[in-house]
Amino acid sequence: MKIFIVLVVIALPLISQSQPVSVVALLAEGARANADSKWDAAIAAYQLARSAARTAGDTKSESMALTGMAETEIGRSRDDLAEKLARESLAIAEPIDDQRLIEAALRVIGKVLSRRGQYRELLTVTERKLAIQKALGDRNRIAAELNNMGDAWRSLGDQFLAIDYFTQAAEQFATLGNDRSRGVVLNNIALVYGELGDYERAMDFGRKALALSQAAKDPEHITTAIDGMAVVETWRGNYSVALRLYQQAFEAGRRDADPWTLAEITNNIGLVYQAQQNHEQAVAYFKKSLEMNRSIRNKSLAAEAHTNLGTEMLALNRLPEAVQQFRQAVQVAREASLPAMESESHRGLGGALFRMHRIVDAEAELQHAAEVQRRIPDLPNLAQTLAELSHLKLAQGHAAEALAQARESMELLSSIDMPETLWQAHLAAGRALEQLGRNQEAAAEFESSIATIESLRSRVVGPPTALPIYFANKSEPYQEAAILALARGRTDQALQLVEQSKSRALIDILRSGRAELDKSLTPSEREAERRLETRLVSLNLQIANQPDQAPLKSDRNRTRRELDALQSDLYAAHPEIAFQRGAAPALTSTEISQLAADTHAVILNYFVTPRNSYVFVIRPGAPTRAVTLGAGQDALSERAVEFHRQLSEHDLNFAASARELYRLLLAPVQSDLSAQQAVIILPDGPLWDVAFHALQPASGRFVIQQNVVSYAPSLAVLRETLKLAADRGVVPAGRELLALGNSAGQQALPEAERQVREIEKLYGARQSQILTGAAASTSRFKAESASYRVIHLASHAVLDSVNPMYSYALLARSTDDAGALEARDLMQLNLRADLLVLSGCETARGRGLGGEGISGMLWAAFVAGAPTTIASMWRVESASTSDLMIGFHRNWLETRRSGDPSAKAGALQKAALSLIAGGKYSHPFYWAGFVLVGSPR
């Protein structure tokens, strides 16, 4: 994502009147050709000028010709040749002490160093250019070089020093009345604050930069200012806002900006979609950026786009294509002399080869990346490469080497704020120590990895969907720590670790009521916290530059203690912010046991890992115990998928799968099922595809015939939904039933209309609102839904398996309404319902990312405030669904005031048993697809 702007306000030195006319004309001809990108013509003119200058003994003109040739070679990405020519020019200019000629040559050298990522050398060159401009007294050029000094320091990782230089540049441009250039500098300041995580200040500077560029009627920098604001919104997770800004920037750029800016914006839009795991869109934008770049031939942008495409192919598990993209990126970066980009491409290539089990080749690529990063140096990327090398060494069984590389990565990261890499380095160190038999040390590393991940929760800003996406790949440290705890006989600790990894985003939302982050803090409290955090960042940056300074490390430790103390005070003063920040404590053993007592149920909390799987058995009045199941993730996933297929396709040969899965998942806890009628299943990973209630302990007998079964994403979510259900019982919504069915403009569902009409009779017409046909619209649903205790949607539904939050229920279609109630729309509602029934097809589908478990319509229902949701696991049959739903509502109305802690789940069980007993709908296809998730009460 190329975002920083280096100001260049000087071209070639002014042509002296003492120069021969032919040389002057040739230099001017070369400059015109260069400006028009006519590279060959420019080189030819400059070569003639150089030859004429040599003949005339005109060293100044010869230096100018060489610099002009160097500028031209920069234009066609021949950086090595450009540097050679510029240094020849410098060698001529220095003996004659012509400062303008020296500065012009240094400028080209600086461009080359910047493109190569040689930032230390670039800083030296920029300092020299600044000294020259100060000696010449050109205040505009001084300000430009101050800006460039800021960019150099920013590239070296010292954002605060960068801000100092940018601020000096902005002040000088303000004094000079050069608002156009000041706008450019303010945009750079905005982006540095964005990198520091101070998004509000970043947006403030971004808006000022935009205003100055608009006042100066500077279309190019209007576009870059909007683009910069979009970058900040991407960093803070406001993807919809970022996309709107990128679109504005693109439209502005279409009219006024250069093609490179448009191609770069297109690439950045792809990065937004990549962050949201929308791989299809991301790939399309990266490819479009490459296509646009063909006429521009900017190799840096090409290398970046190929690297981004490689990353997408990795995410899609299209490994040969990932390798191809990374190899193209390596080649382009090498041709353009971009070692930093080349090293990133080598690292990506190494990751792809590792996934293909080409370990030797993968190691060679990662080692090459590390060598380049050491040479440049690029310490942040080196730390990441070392962490990846550590994981590779673990796969080779070289635990000692893996540990050494993980620790080197952690040492580098001790003064660099890169938690994304740090948690992976701790994870690798823990695994290495475990292989070496040093389990106590391994546990400490896993705990450090988890602590780092937990610290990231407060950094994730954005919509409710941002957290599941962001934490999708971060379950491994929790798994490793839990397995170690089980091996040491610490069942309660293992359960708490498993619980930490499950449905964290959902529980944060349920606990916080979707409140905005930090809204409870006073301005002075927020400023005190930010001041300490900023101070800590500053100290880390200083330590990076002066790693041996003990006083700095002492100051950092003191600042950390002050920040910890302040945050403890804030949590005490505002306990609600602990929920908002994801920092609420895990459930205690006592609280977990109380859950079983409150529900009068046995709770089966499953925990699936690649190597093995476990179930925690939580019963009233009994200590929690863990049972090893003896099957890893792949084996369970294969069986779960097949069983789901058999039931959803009405396969008559499902019984063998039903008994085999019972043997694996429930037989080890059969005595617990016999002792307790109600069972609450907390699936994990692939087990969300298993209809546990349709498993068979014996031929012709289903679990649902002996147990009342409900489901929940986690213990914490179960507890919150029980609380919410209890609150709804005390203060119910105003009316009873809102039911929608057989929506106009969609495929007719006459059974759905019968379904809602029959349910209306059960609740009573005066307390019900039935919307069918054109009335069953999204606008009516949104307007009415907050006023009812029971909401029932009998409609078609469409599952988006790639991005489940785009799944939707089909309501009434009209000329101005497509009738799609998306999961994202549903979760924005503020329901007061005690029960939400989604009787459309596959409304319970949509695998949650990482440990989230669920996604799509079901996840959105919880976010919207429904403590209990009934949804379907596959495409259901209309007539049997109507009978099941009518039976459920009849049964629940009979028992909902009975105090039965499993009233809803029992009502659904009774309705299913009625279908089984009737014979016609006895196959699980008809009744097992519906699951009750959340509070069973």
Side-chain angles (χ1 to χ4, degrees):
M1 190 180 286
K2 302 211 183 328
I3 47 182
F4 279 83
I5 302 166
V6 177
L7 282 172
V8 178
V9 297
I10 178 171
L12 291 174
L14 294 174
I15 296 171
S16 170
Q17 292 183 352
S18 64
Q19 292 171 301
V21 175
S22 59
V23 175
V24 172
L26 288 167
L27 289 172
E29 182 182 339
R32 284 193 298 271
N34 189 17
D36 293 336
S37 301
K38 296 177 180 178
W39 314 124
D40 291 341
I43 290 293
Y46 284 132
Q47 284 176 335
L48 289 172
R50 182 188 183 190
S51 179
R54 272 185 167 177
T55 301
D58 183 355
T59 53
K60 288 187 177 183
S61 294
E62 183 179 1
S63 175
M64 291 176 62
L66 284 165
T67 300
M69 292 166 68
E71 287 275 12
T72 304
E73 297 300 352
I74 283 278
R76 52 184 180 184
S77 296
R78 294 179 179 178
D79 289 1
D80 288 343
L81 181 54
E83 183 183 13
K84 177 177 177 295
L85 291 166
R87 292 197 182 278
E88 287 183 36
S89 175
L90 187 63
I92 293 172
E94 285 179 329
I96 61 176
D97 196 29
D98 190 311
Q99 296 299 304
R100 294 187 184 277
L101 290 173
I102 291 171
E103 194 280 334
L106 289 172
R107 177 166 40 82
V108 178
I109 294 169
K111 285 183 181 179
V112 173
L113 294 173
S114 177
R115 287 164 68 154
R116 287 179 182 164
Q118 295 176 255
Y119 300 120
R120 282 288 174 191
E121 294 87 342
L122 173 62
L123 181 63
T124 301
V125 168
T126 308
E127 286 173 335
R128 191 174 174 189
K129 288 193 294 173
L130 177 59
I132 290 172
Q133 298 297 2
K134 286 181 177 179
L136 294 173
D138 190 321
R139 295 172 65 196
N140 258 306
R141 294 173 181 174
I142 290 170
E145 292 304 338
L146 286 169
N147 174 81
N148 297 343
M149 285 290 293
D151 186 48
W153 277 113
R154 173 259 163 191
S155 299
L156 287 168
D158 194 332
Q159 282 95 336
F160 285 95
L161 193 52
I163 288 173
D164 286 344
Y165 276 105
F166 286 139
T167 302
Q168 290 179 57
E171 288 171 354
Q172 291 221 22
F173 281 131
T175 302
L176 294 166
N178 186 343
D179 285 346
R180 176 185 179 279
S181 296
R182 185 160 69 101
V184 173
V185 179
L186 292 182
N187 193 47
N188 286 347
I189 295 174
L191 291 159
V192 176
Y193 276 121
E195 286 185 341
L196 290 170
D198 192 342
Y199 299 125
E200 291 307 318
R201 195 173 296 182
M203 293 303 293
D204 182 50
F205 275 97
R207 285 187 283 268
K208 289 176 181 177
L210 178 60
L212 287 171
S213 296
Q214 288 173 332
K217 297 181 179 179
D218 181 356
E220 178 184 355
H221 293 116
I222 288 172
T223 301
T224 56
I226 298 172
D227 184 45
M229 293 168 70
V231 169
V232 173
E233 293 292 8
T234 303
W235 285 337
R236 71 196 301 186
N238 291 339
Y239 301 123
S240 60
V241 177
L243 281 175
R244 285 199 298 271
L245 287 169
Y246 278 132
Q247 288 161 359
Q248 289 178 31
F250 193 88
E251 288 305 312
R254 192 198 300 274
R255 296 188 302 270
D256 306 303
D258 64 279
W260 181 89
T261 301
L262 294 179
E264 182 64 21
I265 293 170
T266 301
N267 179 76
N268 290 352
I269 292 173
L271 290 172
V272 176
Y273 283 115
Q274 185 178 77
Q276 296 181 103
Q277 305 294 309
N278 190 335
H279 303 300
E280 183 180 0
Q281 287 281 29
V283 168
Y285 275 94
F286 293 144
K287 287 184 174 178
K288 185 177 179 182
S289 177
L290 275 174
E291 180 65 30
M292 295 168 71
N293 191 48
R294 282 183 182 161
S295 60
I296 307 165
R297 294 185 294 180
N298 183 288
K299 293 192 175 182
S300 176
L301 178 57
E304 183 181 3
H306 281 302
T307 299
N308 291 338
L309 278 170
T311 302
E312 281 301 301
M313 295 303 106
L314 264 182
L316 294 167
N317 206 35
R318 290 156 57 177
L319 301 181
E321 293 173 78
V323 168
Q324 180 185 11
Q325 291 294 337
F326 285 127
R327 288 196 191 282
Q328 286 182 267
V330 166
Q331 181 180 347
V332 174
R334 184 177 297 151
E335 290 173 354
S337 300
L338 299 168
M341 179 62 69
E342 183 183 347
S343 71
E344 290 184 44
S345 304
H346 277 294
R347 185 176 63 220
L349 180 56
L353 294 170
F354 183 37
R355 291 263 294 274
M356 297 172 76
H357 307 291
R358 292 170 57 181
I359 305 298
V360 175
D361 293 336
E363 183 179 7
E365 295 296 334
L366 291 171
Q367 292 287 10
H368 182 80
E371 289 169 9
V372 173
Q373 288 155 359
R374 288 184 197 278
R375 186 177 70 246
I376 294 176
D378 183 353
L379 300 184
N381 275 310
L382 175 60
Q384 186 175 346
T385 302
L386 288 170
E388 293 190 25
L389 271 168
S390 180
H391 286 287
L392 182 143
K393 287 295 182 184
L394 284 170
Q396 292 176 313
H398 301 158
E401 292 179 59
L403 181 59
Q405 286 169 330
R407 284 185 166 162
E408 184 182 357
S409 176
M410 288 187 284
E411 179 62 27
L412 289 170
L413 295 170
S414 65
S415 56
I416 302 173
D417 187 18
M418 289 180 60
E420 278 288 349
T421 303
L422 182 60
W423 77 261
Q424 296 178 60
H426 280 298
L427 173 62
R431 285 177 169 166
L433 288 163
E434 189 177 8
Q435 286 187 17
L436 293 168
R438 295 155 61 179
N439 286 354
Q440 188 169 351
E441 293 174 79
E445 291 295 346
F446 293 141
E447 288 171 12
S448 294
S449 183
I450 291 168
T452 305
I453 291 171
E454 291 298 313
S455 75
L456 287 166
R457 303 190 68 80
S458 63
R459 300 188 183 197
V460 180
V461 183
T465 52
L467 273 173
I469 293 169
Y470 194 68
F471 289 95
N473 65 340
K474 296 176 176 62
S475 61
E476 292 174 273
Y478 300 90
Q479 292 180 349
E480 295 286 358
I483 292 169
L484 266 186
L486 287 172
R488 299 161 78 183
R490 299 178 178 178
T491 302
D492 289 342
Q493 180 188 4
L495 178 55
Q496 285 194 340
L497 286 162
V498 170
E499 187 65 8
Q500 269 189 292
S501 70
K502 283 189 172 186
S503 297
R504 293 295 303 283
L506 185 55
I507 192 60
D508 281 352
I509 296 163
L510 291 178
R511 284 172 169 170
S512 69
R514 295 181 295 178
E516 293 182 8
L517 189 68
D518 286 349
K519 74 172 187 178
S520 299
L521 297 183
T522 66
S524 60
E525 288 170 340
R526 189 176 293 109
E527 178 58 31
E529 185 180 37
R530 183 163 62 182
R531 184 171 61 252
L532 285 172
E533 289 173 338
T534 302
R535 173 65 179 160
L536 197 54
V537 171
S538 175
L539 287 166
N540 282 333
L541 291 168
Q542 291 178 62
I543 291 169
N545 294 321
Q546 304 173 67
D548 298 324
Q549 290 294 312
L552 287 176
K553 292 184 178 180
S554 176
D555 194 1
R556 180 177 65 181
N557 291 336
R558 184 171 59 255
T559 304
R560 286 172 173 171
R561 289 193 297 272
E562 291 176 4
L563 181 58
D564 289 343
L566 173 65
Q567 290 180 334
S568 296
D569 291 344
L570 293 178
Y571 290 149
H574 306 284
E576 70 277 10
I577 69 173
F579 302 144
Q580 295 172 17
R581 293 184 173 202
L587 298 183
T588 65
S589 300
T590 302
E591 289 170 325
I592 290 171
S593 297
Q594 189 61 45
L595 270 179
D598 290 344
T599 56
H600 294 193
V602 57
I603 301 173
L604 301 179
N605 191 349
Y606 286 87
F607 170 44
V608 178
T609 78
R611 289 174 284 176
N612 209 336
S613 299
Y614 312 83
V615 58
F616 293 90
V617 183
I618 305 161
R619 283 178 52 189
T624 298
R625 74 181 201 280
V627 178
T628 303
L629 301 178
Q633 181 173 324
D634 289 345
L636 288 179
S637 181
E638 182 180 346
R639 289 173 172 83
V641 168
E642 175 60 13
F643 185 53
H644 184 277
R645 183 199 65 77
Q646 289 173 329
L647 297 195
S648 65
E649 294 180 3
H650 200 291
D651 190 329
L652 299 179
N653 298 314
F654 70 89
S657 294
R659 289 195 295 272
E660 173 63 10
L661 279 169
Y662 183 92
R663 182 188 69 79
L664 286 170
L665 301 175
L666 294 179
V669 295
Q670 186 167 337
S671 61
D672 300 284
L673 297 179
S674 301
Q676 212 77 33
Q677 184 184 18
V679 57
I680 301 174
I681 306 288
L682 278 61
D684 189 30
L687 298 186
W688 276 101
D689 278 337
V690 176
F692 280 77
H693 51 297
L695 300 183
Q696 292 189 322
S699 180
R701 186 107 182 134
F702 298 104
V703 168
I704 200 171
Q705 292 173 296
Q706 66 184 39
N707 294 101
V708 177
V709 181
S710 63
Y711 299 80
S714 72
L715 293 171
V717 170
L718 176 61
R719 186 173 76 157
E720 291 303 314
T721 58
L722 289 171
K723 288 181 180 178
L724 192 56
D727 292 343
R728 295 285 160 81
V730 174
V731 186
R735 300 182 67 184
E736 282 283 354
L737 173 71
L738 173 65
L740 288 79
N742 200 22
S743 306
Q746 312 291 357
Q747 180 182 348
L749 280 175
E751 277 293 335
E753 184 156 354
R754 179 180 78 86
Q755 182 183 141
V756 298
R757 293 297 179 189
E758 289 296 320
I759 294 171
E760 178 189 23
K761 294 176 184 177
L762 298 173
Y763 287 90
R766 295 183 63 183
Q767 288 296 307
S768 302
Q769 174 83 284
I770 306 302
L771 302 176
T772 61
S777 64
T778 54
S779 58
R780 284 291 299 275
F781 176 76
K782 291 177 181 178
E784 302 275 359
S785 58
S787 302
Y788 291 86
R789 184 174 183 179
V790 178
I791 300 174
H792 187 107
L793 289 180
S795 66
H796 289 293
V798 177
L799 169 70
D800 188 323
S801 58
V802 176
N803 191 335
M805 295 309 297
Y806 285 110
S807 300
Y808 54 91
L810 284 168
L811 301 185
R813 180 185 298 169
S814 64
T815 55
D816 57 353
D817 186 355
L821 178 69
E822 290 185 347
R824 290 172 179 270
D825 299 323
L826 178 59
M827 73 180 184
Q828 297 301 322
L829 302 179
N830 187 18
L831 301 181
R832 298 171 60 208
D834 191 31
L835 170 68
L836 173 63
V837 180
L838 302 170
S839 69
C841 300
E842 299 184 295
T843 46
R845 297 299 304 283
R847 179 71 58 81
L849 295 166
E852 201 64 16
I854 58 173
S855 187
M857 298 294 285
L858 188 54
W859 195 84
F862 282 115
V863 175
T868 306
T869 300
I870 295 177
S872 64
M873 298 175 68
W874 51 74
R875 294 180 180 276
V876 293
E877 194 272 340
S878 185
S880 61
T881 295
S882 289
D883 290 352
L884 183 73
M885 291 294 107
I886 294 166
F888 162 74
H889 283 282
R890 181 184 296 112
N891 298 333
W892 184 47
L893 284 170
E894 291 173 357
T895 61
R896 71 176 180 175
R897 292 182 176 85
S898 66
D900 182 353
S902 296
K904 294 172 190 165
L908 186 60
Q909 178 205 33
K910 188 176 178 180
L913 292 178
S914 179
L915 264 63
I916 294 170
K920 181 179 180 181
Y921 298 133
S922 60
H923 190 285
F925 165 75
Y926 296 105
W927 52 265
F930 285 94
V931 291
L932 185 148
V933 187
S935 170
R937 178 174 297 158

